[in-house]
């Protein structure tokens, strides 16, 4: 199937917001989603973006029954490893169910890898839910390391009241 | 011991690298540090910094003594598409001989305050599960273990795998 991979622009935020929700539903965590289309526009497409996006698009003749031609995306940003230096972090990778198995996910990830290398990055990191078996298999087949399993690294977060409390003198 | 927190400056890169290596040694991963002072300088103090640093510096015993860098935190801003901007704490270390004086807590307080001022909804970081003292330090302060509670696992591709992935399978 014909598809194209390109950088996201501000007009894509409606479809990105839709697909973020679809991914959250797939991960059974839709109630966690608070970010809106407007937040995405401001946070990703202003002078100092907090993330960058890539869109996978199919031609009109392959659009979904709801009329969508934007059928996959990746969100990434640049990070830093105190051991290795410049790094790239892939926050989201998603392809709509009916478009899977056609190399679109690989193409999106390949683009993130290319952009990372072009920016001088030495590693690409991301997280996967341990119950997401098909994704785990896909990533492991591409040659990555499970840092949580191999090195015991746990992802931690301080938010809401805990964060406010920490900020008190 | 008197100390102060301040933003890192280009002159601090050798102390930053020294402390990174000290922490790596504590985690038994010294040989994994390939970062250089030159990279720290370019990446932290160029046009688009990849990271920011806050430094903890002690004043010497007398005014003739040079100040010493005894702790630091390295951080940058990330994005969670579900809840928005996050402050990501990449590295956080206080020299052994300066622990127990509240320097670590003060660094954390400073960063939490910065997170709130920059409208981040959370502060994120990783901890090794066998690092019991650090895990307890953070849990006491209300940190959630997302790996344990929600099942998130961190994965990584190294440089060689990145190069393989970036090369299209066929033209």
């Amino acid at each position: 199937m014909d598809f194209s991979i390109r950088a996201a622009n501000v007009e894509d935020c409606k479809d990105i917001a839709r697909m973020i929700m679809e991914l959250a539903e797939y991960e059974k965590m839709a109630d966690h989603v608070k970010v809106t289309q407007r937040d995405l526009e401001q946070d990703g497409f202003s002078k100092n973006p907090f993330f960058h996006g890539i869109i996978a698009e199919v031609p009109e003749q392959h659009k979904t029954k709801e009329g969508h031609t934007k059928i996959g995306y990746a969100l990434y940003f640049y990070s830093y490893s105190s051991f290795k230096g410049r790094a790239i972090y892939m926050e989201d990778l998603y392809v709509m169910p009916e478009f899977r198995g056609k190399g679109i996910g690989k193409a999106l990830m390949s683009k993130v890898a290319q952009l990372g290398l072009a920016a001088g990055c030495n590693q690409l990191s991301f997280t996967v839910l341990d119950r997401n078996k098909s994704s785990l298999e896909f990533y492991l087949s591409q040659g990555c390391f499970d840092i949580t399993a191999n090195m015991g690294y746990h992802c931690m977060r301080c938010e809401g009241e805990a964060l406010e409390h920490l900020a008190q003198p | 011991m008197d100390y102060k927190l301040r933003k890192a400056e280009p002159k601090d890169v050798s102390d930053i690298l020294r402390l990174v290596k000290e922490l790596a040694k504590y985690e038994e991963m010294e040989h994994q540090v390939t970062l250089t002072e030159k990279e720290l300088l370019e990446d932290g103090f160029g046009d688009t910094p990849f990271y920011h640093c806050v430094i903890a510096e002690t004043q010497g015993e007398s005014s003739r003594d040079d100040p010493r860098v005894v702790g630091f935190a390295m951080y940058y801003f990330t994005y969670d598409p579900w809840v928005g901007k996050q402050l990501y704490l990449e590295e956080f270390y206080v020299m052994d001989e300066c622990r127990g004086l509240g320097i670590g807590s003060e660094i954390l307080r400073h960063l939490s305050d910065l997170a709130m001022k920059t409208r981040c909804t959370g502060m994120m970081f990783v901890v090794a599960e066998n690092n019991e003292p650090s895990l307890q330090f953070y849990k006491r302060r209300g940190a959630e273990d997302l790996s344990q509670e929600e099942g998130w696992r961190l994965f990584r591709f190294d440089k060689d795998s990145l190069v393989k992935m970036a090369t299209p399978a066929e033209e």
Side-chain angles (χ1 to χ4, degrees):
Chain A
M1 177 188 283
D2 223 0
F3 64 89
S4 64
I5 304 285
R6 61 166 177 80
N9 55 52
V10 70
E11 284 87 39
D12 294 316
C13 286
K14 183 162 186 213
D15 284 278
I16 296 174
R18 168 182 60 83
M19 289 191 280
I20 284 172
M21 192 52 108
E22 280 175 31
L23 176 53
E25 276 159 5
Y26 169 79
E27 290 171 332
K28 303 197 194 331
M29 297 174 102
D31 54 312
H32 286 227
V33 181
K34 310 278 180 256
V35 159
T36 62
Q37 177 183 331
R38 181 119 173 79
D39 293 326
L40 292 173
E41 288 164 0
Q42 280 180 353
D43 297 338
F45 299 92
S46 60
K47 184 166 171 281
N48 297 308
F50 286 87
F51 68 87
H52 307 280
I54 313 179
I55 300 285
E57 226 170 345
V58 292
E60 272 295 309
Q61 67 261 34
H62 292 301
K63 67 178 187 232
T64 69
K65 60 181 197 296
E66 293 90 3
H68 301 304
T69 54
K70 296 173 201 177
I71 52 79
Y73 78 103
L75 290 188
Y76 67 94
F77 44 77
Y78 295 98
S79 60
Y80 207 71
S81 155
S82 55
F83 286 10
K84 305 278 185 211
R86 294 184 188 189
I88 189 164
Y89 188 89
M90 186 172 68
E91 172 65 38
D92 272 5
L93 175 65
Y94 175 75
V95 176
M96 290 174 74
E98 64 249 56
F99 296 92
R100 289 183 200 155
K102 303 179 197 309
I104 299 177
K106 265 196 206 154
L108 283 165
M109 210 160 61
S110 174
K111 194 67 183 170
V112 175
Q114 277 172 42
L115 291 165
L117 284 170
C121 298
N122 299 308
Q123 61 189 34
L124 162 64
S125 303
F126 52 99
T127 56
V128 189
L129 276 174
D130 56 14
R131 58 176 180 269
N132 189 350
K133 301 292 180 210
S134 53
S135 294
L136 286 171
E137 263 174 47
F138 169 68
Y139 292 124
L140 288 167
S141 75
Q142 302 298 302
C144 59
F145 302 103
D146 181 338
I147 303 283
T148 298
N150 296 346
M151 304 183 66
Y153 279 179
H154 285 218
C155 305
M156 316 279 288
R157 169 148 57 201
C158 246
E159 61 184 350
E161 272 181 33
L163 185 62
E164 282 172 35
H165 199 249
L166 259 186
Q168 301 301 321
Chain B
M1 191 190 292
D2 251 341
Y3 71 91
K4 70 167 191 203
L5 292 191
R6 60 170 178 80
K7 228 165 119 164
E9 292 161 35
K11 67 176 176 151
D12 295 315
V13 293
S14 64
D15 279 304
I16 294 172
L17 190 56
R18 169 178 62 86
L19 295 175
V20 162
K21 287 181 172 168
E22 246 175 73
L23 175 52
K25 198 164 172 191
Y26 167 73
E27 291 177 334
E28 292 166 3
M29 295 199 279
E30 241 181 308
H31 56 286
Q32 293 208 26
V33 179
T34 55
L35 194 54
T36 63
E37 278 181 32
K38 181 167 183 287
E39 283 163 343
L40 275 172
L41 195 59
E42 276 170 13
D43 299 339
F45 300 94
D47 287 328
T48 352
F50 276 78
Y51 72 88
H52 308 280
C53 248
V54 64
I55 299 284
E57 193 172 62
T58 58
Q59 223 26 69
E61 295 280 291
S62 75
S63 56
R64 285 169 306 152
D65 290 344
D66 287 328
R68 270 177 76 219
V69 172
V70 298
F72 82 116
M74 180 187 272
Y75 64 95
Y76 43 85
F77 295 96
T78 62
Y79 200 76
D80 179 329
W82 295 355
V83 293
K85 285 188 293 195
Q86 306 287 298
L87 187 148
Y88 188 87
L89 180 51
E90 167 65 26
E91 199 79 291
F92 175 25
Y93 179 74
V94 176
M95 288 173 72
D96 212 353
E97 68 239 46
C98 299
R99 293 200 198 139
L101 299 165
I103 298 179
S105 294
E106 184 52 29
I107 292 178
L108 216 52
R109 192 211 61 76
H110 173 88
L111 291 176
S112 308
D113 188 52
L114 177 65
M116 297 199 60
K117 289 202 168 94
T118 51
R119 297 179 200 272
C120 294
T121 60
M123 188 163 71
M124 299 189 66
F125 47 99
V126 297
V127 186
E129 69 197 359
N130 61 10
N131 188 347
E132 229 6 78
S134 292
L135 268 174
Q136 288 316 312
F137 175 86
Y138 293 119
K139 282 186 170 166
R140 262 201 308 271
R141 287 158 173 80
E144 294 160 47
D145 184 340
L146 300 175
S147 291
Q148 194 168 63
E149 289 171 37
E150 296 178 4
W152 292 103
R153 276 152 67 168
L154 181 62
F155 280 71
R156 187 165 294 161
F157 283 103
D158 65 13
K159 187 81 179 278
D160 291 335
S161 301
L162 262 188
V163 170
K164 275 202 202 109
M165 263 201 305
T167 316
E170 66 237 308
E171 283 303 304

